[in-house]
Amino acid sequence: MGFFGRIREDVSSVLERDPAARTWLEVVTCYPGLWAVWFHRISHALWKAKLRLPARMLSQIARFYTGVDIHPGALLGPRLFIDHATGVVIGETAIVGSDVTIYQGVTLGGTGKGHGKRHPTICDRVFIGNNANVLGNITVGENSRVGAGSVVLSDVPPNSTVVGVPAHIVYRNGNRVLITDPHDIKDPLSDALIALSARVDELEHRMGAEPCVEPFAEEEADRSAYREELDRQAGYVSMGEGI
Ligand SMILES: CC(C)(COP(=O)(O)OP(=O)(O)OC[C@H]1O[C@@H](n2cnc3c(N)ncnc32)[C@H](O)[C@@H]1OP(=O)(O)O)[C@@H](O)C(=O)NCCC(=O)NCCS
């Protein structure tokens, strides 16, 4: 597909994905995330032609106008949509699949260690919420979603939702994933939680208490009741009005 054919495809995909987008003219003139992708196509061609300095200079001009810093060496798939644009950084060895959506402030970066492939691979149809950081040579699987503000440091399986710092899975293949083993959290408090839960186990054992068959069952029941309550009040609590 030619340069202009791909532009047409980009604009259509924004119209499909962003409910705020109304017309072709609006998308072409008001979406700096798209301009950044278009600039990148030229700077990437220069990069491949070994015109490294002009490629980098063009990517910096693009950054000035769009707020998006994409290294010309990065490989971007078709129909990438960078919504709101500002503050997005995509590193040199990042690979982005097709139909990926990225919000403002996202970094697809290195961890600062090592050379070679040091940036993430983002598979097809991944959604990355605003200000999320995906760091290192890791892979985010197809159809997965990364929550706003998350810091992803290890591979994300396909069809999953991850949130938090560092990120952990909350949904997989449409099913809610509850963390029952503190080892799965991997944040600086994990060790303290693991020591605490071992201590609780030991105390329960000494007291002869029944082991907890379904940990977090009560908490999950509370959450479900709360969600049902919100659903009942749907007329009063809607997106953006809850807080
Ligand atoms: C990650 C996301 C896609 C999940 O949405 P969802 O499938 O509706 O998930 P839920 O709301 O059921 O959340 C599941 C759990 O993850 C938590 N969670 C959701 N998003 C989170 C986030 N960004 N950071 C930390 N925790 C988050 C919820 O609190 C909930 O936990 P709980 O059940 O213990 O209370 C969504 O929350 C998100 O972050 N979207 C990004 C939106 C965005 O970037 N918008 C930019 C507009 S300009």
Side-chain angles (χ1 to χ4, degrees):
M1 190 183 288
F3 188 80
F4 291 103
R6 291 183 73 183
I7 287 183
R8 220 173 294 133
E9 186 185 64
D10 292 332
V11 174
S12 306
S13 85
V14 171
L15 285 166
E16 274 163 31
R17 275 185 270 176
D18 184 2
R22 287 168 304 172
T23 65
W24 272 66
L25 189 60
E26 184 181 322
V27 173
V28 171
T29 53
C30 303
Y31 281 73
L34 274 191
W35 309 341
V37 170
W38 296 338
F39 267 115
H40 173 78
R41 288 193 188 135
I42 301 168
S43 68
H44 184 64
L46 294 172
W47 185 260
K48 282 203 300 191
K50 304 259 183 281
L51 297 167
R52 300 282 153 97
L53 184 61
R56 297 246 26 206
M57 286 165 66
L58 183 61
S59 77
Q60 289 310 300
I61 293 170
R63 188 181 71 127
F64 179 80
Y65 284 108
T66 65
V68 178
D69 188 350
I70 309 178
H71 192 286
L75 289 175
L76 307 185
R79 299 175 298 279
L80 167 62
F81 176 30
I82 304 176
D83 202 2
H84 303 294
T86 307
V88 168
V89 176
I90 301 181
E92 180 188 357
T93 61
I95 300 175
V96 177
S98 43
D99 301 293
V100 169
T101 305
I102 291 178
Y103 277 95
Q104 71 273 15
V106 165
T107 298
L108 307 181
T111 52
K113 304 174 250 174
H115 299 272
K117 174 84 170 91
R118 60 195 184 282
H119 300 103
T121 297
I122 310 297
C123 295
D124 299 347
R125 296 173 297 282
V126 165
F127 166 101
I128 308 182
N130 63 283
N131 294 309
N133 293 297
V134 185
L135 303 178
N137 182 16
I138 58 174
T139 299
V140 180
E142 289 87 7
N143 307 312
S144 286
R145 299 188 300 166
V146 176
S150 305
V151 178
V152 186
L153 298 171
S154 45
D155 291 339
V156 175
N159 310 309
S160 308
T161 302
V162 295
V163 299
V165 182
H168 58 274
I169 299 184
V170 287
Y171 285 100
R172 189 158 185 191
N173 298 321
N175 298 317
R176 186 77 165 89
V177 175
L178 275 184
I179 293 210
T180 52
D181 181 350
H183 288 92
D184 291 339
I185 302 176
K186 298 193 196 96
D187 79 359
L189 283 176
S190 299
D191 289 343
L193 285 172
I194 290 163
L196 190 63
S197 84
R199 183 80 180 135
V200 170
D201 283 350
E202 187 199 319
L203 290 173
E204 278 181 346
H205 180 71
R206 268 204 240 162
M207 290 168 65
E210 287 288 313
C212 186
V213 184
E214 277 191 66
F216 300 112
E218 266 182 43
E219 288 84 347
E220 189 46 21
D222 282 351
R223 277 193 207 124
S224 304
Y226 176 61
R227 285 194 193 113
E228 277 165 24
E229 181 61 26
L230 283 183
D231 283 345
R232 264 200 295 281
Q233 297 180 8
Y236 306 100
V237 180
S238 63
M239 286 287 284
E241 294 170 17
I243 296 174

